[in-house]
Amino acid sequence: QVQLVESGGGLVQPGGSLRLSCAASGSIFSIYVMGWYRQAPGKQRELVARISSAGITNYADSVKGRFTISRDNAKNTVYLQMNSLKPEDTAVYYCNSWKYGEDNWGQGTQVTVSS
């Protein structure tokens, strides 16, 4: 099992940037697919971005060109760089680690985009 702890959320104005971090512990980080999901009030949790153990990435259409996911296997950490933030990006952002037969979630970090 992997334990995940997110950080870096907060309040930012539209057009601003934030970088989320997710520190993992408890298992071999490099073998997991790592992802960022978000859940806005009254909406279902949705995938934002995902990165495989080989570094292959995919993004939700709504964030393509604005968000970048990356991982540092030496630090057991995955990042989400968020630029050109919009009010509709407001949500709780969750870190996820996945491998066959195992699915782990962090506690979430709030991102609020508002003027």
Side-chain angles (χ1 to χ4, degrees):
Q1 290 286 332
V2 173
Q3 291 77 48
L4 304 170
V5 178
E6 302 101 333
S7 61
L11 173 64
V12 63
Q13 292 187 342
S17 298
L18 281 175
R19 189 175 82 153
L20 305 183
S21 300
C22 172
S25 62
S27 190
I28 304 172
F29 175 78
S30 62
I31 67 175
Y32 287 84
V33 176
M34 300 300 298
W36 286 97
Y37 291 72
R38 67 186 180 188
Q39 187 167 19
K43 295 187 176 181
Q44 289 188 331
R45 191 173 296 188
E46 62 176 1
L47 174 69
V48 176
R50 188 164 48 203
I51 183 167
S52 74
S53 57
I56 298 170
T57 59
N58 64 289
Y59 297 90
D61 287 343
S62 59
V63 307
K64 281 181 181 176
R66 301 189 297 123
F67 291 11
T68 302
I69 189 171
S70 61
R71 66 191 297 163
D72 185 337
N73 290 337
K75 295 183 178 180
N76 287 359
T77 302
V78 62
Y79 305 97
L80 185 68
Q81 178 66 44
M82 305 186 293
N83 299 328
S84 302
L85 283 160
K86 305 175 181 180
E88 51 263 42
D89 294 318
T90 296
V92 178
Y93 283 70
Y94 296 91
C95 181
N96 173 268
S97 69
W98 181 90
K99 68 178 180 75
Y100 184 77
E102 186 178 323
D103 196 14
N104 304 290
W105 294 90
Q107 82 287 352
T109 185
Q110 177 70 46
V111 172
T112 302
V113 184
S114 174
S115 55

